[in-house]
Amino acid sequence: MEITAIHEFTVKIIHEAGERIRQSLSEKLEIETKANANDLVTNIDRETELFFIEQIHAYDPAFKILGEEGMGEPLESLDGVVWIIDPIDGTMNFIRQHRNFAISIGIYVDGIGKLGYIYDVMRNDLYYAVEGQGAYMNDRQLERLQSLPLHEAIIGINATWVTPNRYIDHNKIIDLVHHVRGTRSYGSATLEIASVVCGRMDAYMSMRLSPWDIAGGAVIANEVGAIVSNLGNEAINLEEQDTFIIANPKIHKTIIEQYVHLK
Amino acid sequence: MEITAIHEFTVKIIHEAGERIRQSLSEKLEIETKANANDLVTNIDRETELFFIEQIHAYDPAFKILGEEGMGEPLESLDGVVWIIDPIDGTMNFIRQHRNFAISIGIYVDGIGKLGYIYDVMRNDLYYAVEGQGAYMNDRQLERLQSLPLHEAIIGINATWVTPNRYIDHNKIIDLVHHVRGTRSYGSATLEIASVVCGRMDAYMSMRLSPWDIAGGAVIANEVGAIVSNLGNEAINLEEQDTFIIANPKIHKTIIEQYVHLK
């Protein structure tokens, strides 16, 4: 696989998709619900995923595609070249805020992350990495994360996980919230992951993320020394929904061991 | 007081201050703690407040100034023309993220809000209002807020208030978090207030805000029909720290009556 050519192609189609999404904001969105009333999808999510599928298959029909909106073929394994795509992460922000949403793409070969992208569409900020070649935000190389104590950390966590829930003991998360310097919640997993790889936050965790939420970010994370895993400290799962944490290496283990009690 | 002239002057000094802050990001910040380890201030907060005081007193020495960093004279009352200024709201974001912080100014005459400003420094977005003349984000007039049911609302609330605390019964806030469509937390009260006046969020609440956090936003809120009060549903207090809520008029009363139990 010619990594450089694919990287240039991916940057090009991400910017094209971003421009289409920005133009769509002046039109009326068609909004539908998916699994529940708070899980929304728009015609633009679907059109963007279709745009990517068409472009990618025109480039190489052998590429496999796993997309949030399920418009690619069913994925039976991670063998070969697999593109894992979220056309719009943060759909609720897209609908309500017209900002704070992102395109995310991870390109994996036989399950190994080779290229990762998170594109903040309205800020026009592209976070990306090529395996072994460092990570970038636009044309600026990202530094490896510097260590810091947990009590100085800013943690991305949705308020839901601080309330009783079926995944973890929320009382331990209350302890975590009290211990750290601050918490944030942006409503877009990929933009929260992007904040961690840039050192703007020091960890982000969620009880329920899908492969397309984390595939791009995980490649970028590796290049800056951020640790990604599920909340059981196992490798991330790119075939199904799971818990997730990305953290500064200094605090990853402490958060999992001292503050995460999975049910 | 010549409102139009003061408005033009205020826009000019806000943009000048913003440019100085953006330039400061390439220099090393001097960081100190204030009331506690998580309450930070930098040399740039202080220099920006001093810049505003000098500019405003050069314009009219009779103007009184209440600033977060306390570099104006002690304020004995809200009589006359009072400028209430936060030179950098979201100092932790300023330090760690180099984004997601704002300048906020409210100009009050005998306690009545006449002009309000929130300036998102890194996005270069200015939210403002002149009493009775509508509210704007840059050159776009903001629409009056449209009503929506609470279960479709996005609420700005810090995770701290979902944990046991000395201000409110957090169990009721847990109920609120479960009832609404989503929550967000940006780490800057004024940018969260700006999100509500634009309709990007539907409410924002905090147990502990100061006059400079809310003075500018309250003027803007009035022009779009957002309701501001403390959590006891009393008028906001511009002389001391208090609880605070800004909300879409459809949900303001419901949140206070059904979900806020003050201790």
Side-chain angles (χ1 to χ4, degrees):
Chain A
M1 195 171 86
E2 295 186 357
I3 289 285
T4 303
I6 291 179
H7 169 61
E8 288 171 3
F9 166 71
T10 309
V11 170
K12 182 173 81 73
I13 61 175
I14 285 174
H15 280 128
E16 281 180 30
E19 183 55 30
R20 293 160 69 108
I21 293 170
R22 284 189 292 268
Q23 286 179 6
S24 78
L25 290 173
S26 60
E27 298 157 19
K28 189 163 167 55
L29 294 173
E30 297 162 22
I31 303 166
E32 292 170 36
T33 56
K34 294 198 289 189
N36 63 65
N38 294 343
D39 190 7
L40 305 175
V41 64
T42 74
N43 54 319
I44 307 302
D45 298 69
R46 294 211 175 95
E47 287 170 20
T48 304
E49 184 159 314
L50 265 183
F51 168 79
F52 281 125
I53 292 171
E54 288 167 4
Q55 295 286 322
I56 293 164
H57 278 165
Y59 187 95
D60 188 336
F63 289 162
K64 298 197 286 185
I65 302 171
L66 173 64
E68 175 172 19
E69 307 314 334
M71 309 186 84
E73 309 92 275
L75 192 70
E76 285 165 10
S77 80
L78 291 174
D79 295 345
V81 179
V82 180
W83 292 60
I84 304 177
I85 298 178
D86 196 339
I88 297 181
D89 175 57
T91 296
M92 202 184 301
N93 287 345
F94 172 62
I95 295 169
R96 287 293 313 277
Q97 306 194 330
H98 288 192
R99 56 171 66 184
N100 302 327
F101 59 90
I103 293 168
S104 180
I105 295 180
I107 305 175
Y108 285 68
V109 177
D110 297 332
I112 308 295
K114 296 293 180 184
L115 299 137
Y117 304 84
I118 297 171
Y119 180 54
D120 182 335
V121 175
M122 300 311 289
R123 284 191 191 259
N124 192 27
D125 282 338
L126 180 63
Y127 306 83
Y128 69 92
V130 179
E131 184 197 27
Q133 297 183 28
Y136 290 80
M137 172 181 159
N138 302 321
D139 55 3
R140 179 168 67 84
Q141 184 161 9
L142 299 177
E143 295 172 15
R144 289 188 74 82
L145 299 182
Q146 297 182 349
S147 69
L148 89 173
L150 186 58
H151 70 267
E152 290 183 6
I154 299 177
I155 306 284
I157 187 164
N158 190 282
T160 303
W161 312 127
V162 189
T163 72
N165 66 79
R166 61 194 167 103
Y167 299 94
I168 45 169
D169 175 2
H170 76 290
N171 287 304
K172 298 299 292 178
I173 301 297
I174 288 173
D175 292 344
L176 177 65
V177 168
H178 288 169
H179 185 67
V180 298
R181 178 153 282 175
T183 62
R184 301 286 183 270
S185 182
Y186 298 150
S188 159
T190 62
L191 290 180
E192 286 164 304
I193 292 168
S195 296
V196 176
V197 300
C198 282
R200 294 195 299 258
M201 297 204 298
D202 306 298
Y204 164 69
M205 59 200 291
S206 175
M207 301 317 126
R208 198 177 52 208
L209 290 184
S210 294
W212 42 82
D213 295 316
I214 61 178
V219 178
I220 308 172
N222 283 340
E223 298 296 319
V224 298
I227 314 266
V228 296
S229 71
N230 71 12
L231 287 172
N233 204 9
E234 300 164 329
I236 57 170
N237 185 335
L238 292 173
E239 299 188 77
E240 55 190 31
Q241 201 176 71
D242 198 356
T243 60
F244 177 78
I245 181 170
I246 176 172
N248 183 300
K250 184 77 176 178
I251 63 176
H252 176 267
K253 194 176 162 195
T254 308
I255 292 174
I256 289 182
E257 288 186 354
Q258 295 186 22
Y259 296 99
V260 173
H261 285 197
L262 292 169
K263 285 180 178 172
Chain B
M1 194 172 84
E2 294 186 359
I3 289 285
T4 302
I6 290 178
H7 169 62
E8 287 170 4
F9 165 71
T10 310
V11 171
K12 183 172 81 71
I13 60 175
I14 285 174
H15 280 129
E16 282 181 28
E19 182 55 29
R20 293 161 69 108
I21 293 170
R22 284 188 293 268
Q23 286 180 7
S24 78
L25 290 173
S26 59
E27 298 157 21
K28 188 162 168 54
L29 295 172
E30 297 161 22
I31 303 167
E32 293 169 37
T33 56
K34 293 199 290 189
N36 62 65
N38 294 342
D39 190 7
L40 304 175
V41 63
T42 75
N43 54 318
I44 307 302
D45 297 70
R46 294 212 176 94
E47 287 171 21
T48 303
E49 183 159 314
L50 265 184
F51 167 80
F52 281 125
I53 291 171
E54 288 168 3
Q55 295 285 322
I56 293 163
H57 279 166
Y59 187 95
D60 187 336
F63 288 162
K64 298 197 286 184
I65 302 171
L66 173 64
E68 176 173 19
E69 308 313 335
M71 309 187 85
E73 309 91 275
L75 191 70
E76 284 167 9
S77 80
L78 291 174
D79 294 345
V81 180
V82 180
W83 293 58
I84 304 177
I85 297 178
D86 197 338
I88 298 181
D89 175 56
T91 296
M92 202 184 302
N93 287 345
F94 172 62
I95 296 169
R96 287 294 313 278
Q97 306 193 330
H98 288 191
R99 56 171 66 183
N100 302 326
F101 59 89
I103 293 167
S104 180
I105 295 181
I107 305 174
Y108 285 69
V109 177
D110 297 332
I112 308 295
K114 296 294 180 183
L115 300 136
Y117 303 84
I118 297 170
Y119 180 54
D120 182 334
V121 175
M122 299 311 290
R123 284 192 190 260
N124 191 26
D125 282 338
L126 180 64
Y127 307 83
Y128 70 91
V130 178
E131 183 196 28
Q133 298 181 31
Y136 290 80
M137 172 181 158
N138 303 321
D139 54 3
R140 178 168 67 82
Q141 185 161 9
L142 299 177
E143 296 173 14
R144 288 189 76 80
L145 299 183
Q146 297 182 349
S147 71
L148 89 173
L150 186 59
H151 70 267
E152 290 183 6
I154 299 177
I155 307 282
I157 187 165
N158 190 282
T160 303
W161 312 127
V162 190
T163 72
N165 66 79
R166 62 196 167 103
Y167 300 93
I168 45 169
D169 175 2
H170 76 290
N171 288 303
K172 299 298 293 179
I173 301 298
I174 288 173
D175 292 344
L176 177 65
V177 168
H178 287 169
H179 185 66
V180 298
R181 178 153 282 174
T183 62
R184 302 286 183 271
S185 182
Y186 300 149
S188 158
T190 62
L191 290 181
E192 286 164 305
I193 292 168
S195 296
V196 176
V197 300
C198 282
R200 294 196 298 258
M201 297 204 297
D202 307 298
Y204 164 69
M205 58 201 290
S206 175
M207 300 318 125
R208 199 177 52 209
L209 289 184
S210 294
W212 41 82
D213 295 316
I214 62 178
V219 179
I220 308 173
N222 283 341
E223 297 297 318
V224 297
I227 315 266
V228 296
S229 71
N230 70 11
L231 287 172
N233 204 10
E234 300 164 328
I236 56 170
N237 185 335
L238 292 173
E239 299 188 78
E240 55 190 31
Q241 199 176 72
D242 198 357
T243 60
F244 177 77
I245 181 170
I246 175 171
N248 184 299
K250 184 76 176 179
I251 63 177
H252 176 267
K253 194 175 162 197
T254 309
I255 292 175
I256 289 182
E257 289 186 353
Q258 295 186 21
Y259 296 99
V260 173
H261 285 198
L262 292 169
K263 286 182 178 173

PDB file of all heavy atoms in Angstrom, chain A residues 58-76:
ATOM      1  N   ALA A  58     -13.649   4.183  -5.892  1.00  0.00           N
ATOM      2  CA  ALA A  58     -13.096   4.598  -7.187  1.00  0.00           C
ATOM      3  C   ALA A  58     -11.566   4.534  -7.149  1.00  0.00           C
ATOM      4  O   ALA A  58     -10.911   4.245  -8.146  1.00  0.00           O
ATOM      5  CB  ALA A  58     -13.565   6.010  -7.537  1.00  0.00           C
ATOM      6  N   TYR A  59     -11.011   4.815  -5.967  1.00  0.00           N
ATOM      7  CA  TYR A  59      -9.547   4.774  -5.809  1.00  0.00           C
ATOM      8  C   TYR A  59      -9.045   3.333  -5.841  1.00  0.00           C
ATOM      9  O   TYR A  59      -8.064   3.029  -6.516  1.00  0.00           O
ATOM     10  CB  TYR A  59      -9.179   5.443  -4.491  1.00  0.00           C
ATOM     11  CG  TYR A  59      -7.694   5.636  -4.265  1.00  0.00           C
ATOM     12  CD1 TYR A  59      -7.077   6.839  -4.595  1.00  0.00           C
ATOM     13  CD2 TYR A  59      -6.911   4.621  -3.715  1.00  0.00           C
ATOM     14  CE1 TYR A  59      -5.712   7.023  -4.399  1.00  0.00           C
ATOM     15  CE2 TYR A  59      -5.552   4.787  -3.516  1.00  0.00           C
ATOM     16  CZ  TYR A  59      -4.948   5.987  -3.858  1.00  0.00           C
ATOM     17  OH  TYR A  59      -3.600   6.165  -3.659  1.00  0.00           O
ATOM     18  N   ASP A  60      -9.729   2.458  -5.097  1.00  0.00           N
ATOM     19  CA  ASP A  60      -9.340   1.042  -5.086  1.00  0.00           C
ATOM     20  C   ASP A  60     -10.521   0.207  -4.604  1.00  0.00           C
ATOM     21  O   ASP A  60     -10.859   0.241  -3.415  1.00  0.00           O
ATOM     22  CB  ASP A  60      -8.131   0.833  -4.172  1.00  0.00           C
ATOM     23  CG  ASP A  60      -7.577  -0.596  -4.278  1.00  0.00           C
ATOM     24  OD1 ASP A  60      -8.339  -1.520  -4.665  1.00  0.00           O
ATOM     25  OD2 ASP A  60      -6.393  -0.780  -3.975  1.00  0.00           O
ATOM     26  N   PRO A  61     -11.133  -0.538  -5.494  1.00  0.00           N
ATOM     27  CA  PRO A  61     -12.330  -1.306  -5.117  1.00  0.00           C
ATOM     28  C   PRO A  61     -12.062  -2.378  -4.069  1.00  0.00           C
ATOM     29  O   PRO A  61     -13.003  -2.887  -3.455  1.00  0.00           O
ATOM     30  CB  PRO A  61     -12.763  -1.950  -6.442  1.00  0.00           C
ATOM     31  CG  PRO A  61     -12.035  -1.212  -7.518  1.00  0.00           C
ATOM     32  CD  PRO A  61     -10.768  -0.688  -6.904  1.00  0.00           C
ATOM     33  N   ALA A  62     -10.797  -2.704  -3.842  1.00  0.00           N
ATOM     34  CA  ALA A  62     -10.488  -3.746  -2.854  1.00  0.00           C
ATOM     35  C   ALA A  62     -10.529  -3.231  -1.431  1.00  0.00           C
ATOM     36  O   ALA A  62     -10.548  -4.016  -0.485  1.00  0.00           O
ATOM     37  CB  ALA A  62      -9.094  -4.332  -3.145  1.00  0.00           C
ATOM     38  N   PHE A  63     -10.531  -1.905  -1.254  1.00  0.00           N
ATOM     39  CA  PHE A  63     -10.594  -1.357   0.101  1.00  0.00           C
ATOM     40  C   PHE A  63     -11.940  -1.692   0.728  1.00  0.00           C
ATOM     41  O   PHE A  63     -12.987  -1.538   0.097  1.00  0.00           O
ATOM     42  CB  PHE A  63     -10.412   0.162   0.074  1.00  0.00           C
ATOM     43  CG  PHE A  63      -9.006   0.615  -0.253  1.00  0.00           C
ATOM     44  CD1 PHE A  63      -8.786   1.920  -0.673  1.00  0.00           C
ATOM     45  CD2 PHE A  63      -7.917  -0.240  -0.135  1.00  0.00           C
ATOM     46  CE1 PHE A  63      -7.491   2.359  -0.972  1.00  0.00           C
ATOM     47  CE2 PHE A  63      -6.627   0.201  -0.433  1.00  0.00           C
ATOM     48  CZ  PHE A  63      -6.418   1.497  -0.855  1.00  0.00           C
ATOM     49  N   LYS A  64     -11.902  -2.132   1.961  1.00  0.00           N
ATOM     50  CA  LYS A  64     -13.147  -2.391   2.696  1.00  0.00           C
ATOM     51  C   LYS A  64     -13.492  -1.158   3.545  1.00  0.00           C
ATOM     52  O   LYS A  64     -12.587  -0.433   3.966  1.00  0.00           O
ATOM     53  CB  LYS A  64     -12.994  -3.618   3.589  1.00  0.00           C
ATOM     54  CG  LYS A  64     -12.713  -4.893   2.794  1.00  0.00           C
ATOM     55  CD  LYS A  64     -12.955  -6.146   3.601  1.00  0.00           C
ATOM     56  CE  LYS A  64     -11.870  -6.402   4.631  1.00  0.00           C
ATOM     57  NZ  LYS A  64     -12.047  -7.697   5.338  1.00  0.00           N
ATOM     58  N   ILE A  65     -14.772  -0.960   3.784  1.00  0.00           N
ATOM     59  CA  ILE A  65     -15.200   0.257   4.486  1.00  0.00           C
ATOM     60  C   ILE A  65     -16.215  -0.068   5.582  1.00  0.00           C
ATOM     61  O   ILE A  65     -17.230  -0.721   5.320  1.00  0.00           O
ATOM     62  CB  ILE A  65     -15.839   1.260   3.500  1.00  0.00           C
ATOM     63  CG1 ILE A  65     -14.836   1.616   2.390  1.00  0.00           C
ATOM     64  CG2 ILE A  65     -16.285   2.521   4.246  1.00  0.00           C
ATOM     65  CD1 ILE A  65     -15.435   2.418   1.254  1.00  0.00           C
ATOM     66  N   LEU A  66     -15.906   0.378   6.793  1.00  0.00           N
ATOM     67  CA  LEU A  66     -16.851   0.282   7.907  1.00  0.00           C
ATOM     68  C   LEU A  66     -17.256   1.708   8.272  1.00  0.00           C
ATOM     69  O   LEU A  66     -16.414   2.507   8.691  1.00  0.00           O
ATOM     70  CB  LEU A  66     -16.174  -0.389   9.105  1.00  0.00           C
ATOM     71  CG  LEU A  66     -16.978  -0.423  10.416  1.00  0.00           C
ATOM     72  CD1 LEU A  66     -18.245  -1.249  10.263  1.00  0.00           C
ATOM     73  CD2 LEU A  66     -16.112  -0.980  11.545  1.00  0.00           C
ATOM     74  N   GLY A  67     -18.532   2.035   8.059  1.00  0.00           N
ATOM     75  CA  GLY A  67     -18.973   3.410   8.327  1.00  0.00           C
ATOM     76  C   GLY A  67     -20.081   3.438   9.353  1.00  0.00           C
ATOM     77  O   GLY A  67     -20.853   2.480   9.478  1.00  0.00           O
ATOM     78  N   GLU A  68     -20.190   4.566  10.074  1.00  0.00           N
ATOM     79  CA  GLU A  68     -21.204   4.651  11.121  1.00  0.00           C
ATOM     80  C   GLU A  68     -22.595   4.427  10.569  1.00  0.00           C
ATOM     81  O   GLU A  68     -23.439   3.801  11.212  1.00  0.00           O
ATOM     82  CB  GLU A  68     -21.177   6.016  11.825  1.00  0.00           C
ATOM     83  CG  GLU A  68     -22.326   6.112  12.831  1.00  0.00           C
ATOM     84  CD  GLU A  68     -22.306   7.334  13.719  1.00  0.00           C
ATOM     85  OE1 GLU A  68     -21.642   8.316  13.383  1.00  0.00           O
ATOM     86  OE2 GLU A  68     -22.978   7.269  14.762  1.00  0.00           O
ATOM     87  N   GLU A  69     -22.877   4.958   9.400  1.00  0.00           N
ATOM     88  CA  GLU A  69     -24.245   4.869   8.883  1.00  0.00           C
ATOM     89  C   GLU A  69     -24.515   3.554   8.143  1.00  0.00           C
ATOM     90  O   GLU A  69     -25.593   3.372   7.585  1.00  0.00           O
ATOM     91  CB  GLU A  69     -24.564   6.083   8.018  1.00  0.00           C
ATOM     92  CG  GLU A  69     -24.307   7.440   8.690  1.00  0.00           C
ATOM     93  CD  GLU A  69     -24.856   7.544  10.115  1.00  0.00           C
ATOM     94  OE1 GLU A  69     -25.813   6.831  10.445  1.00  0.00           O
ATOM     95  OE2 GLU A  69     -24.289   8.330  10.906  1.00  0.00           O
ATOM     96  N   GLY A  70     -23.513   2.667   8.124  1.00  0.00           N
ATOM     97  CA  GLY A  70     -23.737   1.313   7.624  1.00  0.00           C
ATOM     98  C   GLY A  70     -23.979   1.226   6.132  1.00  0.00           C
ATOM     99  O   GLY A  70     -24.653   0.307   5.655  1.00  0.00           O
ATOM    100  N   MET A  71     -23.425   2.176   5.384  1.00  0.00           N
ATOM    101  CA  MET A  71     -23.687   2.192   3.953  1.00  0.00           C
ATOM    102  C   MET A  71     -22.615   1.450   3.160  1.00  0.00           C
ATOM    103  O   MET A  71     -22.719   1.306   1.958  1.00  0.00           O
ATOM    104  CB  MET A  71     -23.844   3.636   3.495  1.00  0.00           C
ATOM    105  CG  MET A  71     -24.861   4.336   4.402  1.00  0.00           C
ATOM    106  SD  MET A  71     -25.278   5.990   3.894  1.00  0.00           S
ATOM    107  CE  MET A  71     -26.537   5.614   2.691  1.00  0.00           C
ATOM    108  N   GLY A  72     -21.562   0.979   3.834  1.00  0.00           N
ATOM    109  CA  GLY A  72     -20.597   0.105   3.180  1.00  0.00           C
ATOM    110  C   GLY A  72     -21.122  -1.327   3.234  1.00  0.00           C
ATOM    111  O   GLY A  72     -22.247  -1.586   3.652  1.00  0.00           O
ATOM    112  N   GLU A  73     -20.304  -2.277   2.802  1.00  0.00           N
ATOM    113  CA  GLU A  73     -20.703  -3.681   2.922  1.00  0.00           C
ATOM    114  C   GLU A  73     -20.516  -4.128   4.375  1.00  0.00           C
ATOM    115  O   GLU A  73     -19.703  -3.547   5.094  1.00  0.00           O
ATOM    116  CB  GLU A  73     -19.832  -4.586   2.029  1.00  0.00           C
ATOM    117  CG  GLU A  73     -19.717  -4.142   0.605  1.00  0.00           C
ATOM    118  CD  GLU A  73     -18.510  -3.238   0.406  1.00  0.00           C
ATOM    119  OE1 GLU A  73     -18.643  -2.012   0.642  1.00  0.00           O
ATOM    120  OE2 GLU A  73     -17.451  -3.738   0.058  1.00  0.00           O
ATOM    121  N   PRO A  74     -21.220  -5.179   4.797  1.00  0.00           N
ATOM    122  CA  PRO A  74     -20.972  -5.697   6.146  1.00  0.00           C
ATOM    123  C   PRO A  74     -19.514  -6.139   6.269  1.00  0.00           C
ATOM    124  O   PRO A  74     -18.955  -6.710   5.331  1.00  0.00           O
ATOM    125  CB  PRO A  74     -21.915  -6.911   6.235  1.00  0.00           C
ATOM    126  CG  PRO A  74     -22.923  -6.710   5.157  1.00  0.00           C
ATOM    127  CD  PRO A  74     -22.250  -5.928   4.077  1.00  0.00           C
ATOM    128  N   LEU A  75     -18.899  -5.841   7.399  1.00  0.00           N
ATOM    129  CA  LEU A  75     -17.481  -6.151   7.585  1.00  0.00           C
ATOM    130  C   LEU A  75     -17.382  -7.477   8.321  1.00  0.00           C
ATOM    131  O   LEU A  75     -17.901  -7.629   9.409  1.00  0.00           O
ATOM    132  CB  LEU A  75     -16.846  -5.037   8.415  1.00  0.00           C
ATOM    133  CG  LEU A  75     -15.320  -5.034   8.490  1.00  0.00           C
ATOM    134  CD1 LEU A  75     -14.729  -4.657   7.145  1.00  0.00           C
ATOM    135  CD2 LEU A  75     -14.857  -4.046   9.557  1.00  0.00           C
ATOM    136  N   GLU A  76     -16.689  -8.429   7.715  1.00  0.00           N
ATOM    137  CA  GLU A  76     -16.582  -9.737   8.368  1.00  0.00           C
ATOM    138  C   GLU A  76     -15.296  -9.918   9.150  1.00  0.00           C
ATOM    139  O   GLU A  76     -15.206 -10.755  10.034  1.00  0.00           O
ATOM    140  CB  GLU A  76     -16.769 -10.853   7.329  1.00  0.00           C
ATOM    141  CG  GLU A  76     -18.250 -10.975   6.958  1.00  0.00           C
ATOM    142  CD  GLU A  76     -18.487 -11.783   5.700  1.00  0.00           C
ATOM    143  OE1 GLU A  76     -17.532 -12.407   5.213  1.00  0.00           O
ATOM    144  OE2 GLU A  76     -19.633 -11.779   5.220  1.00  0.00           O
TER     145      GLU A  76
END
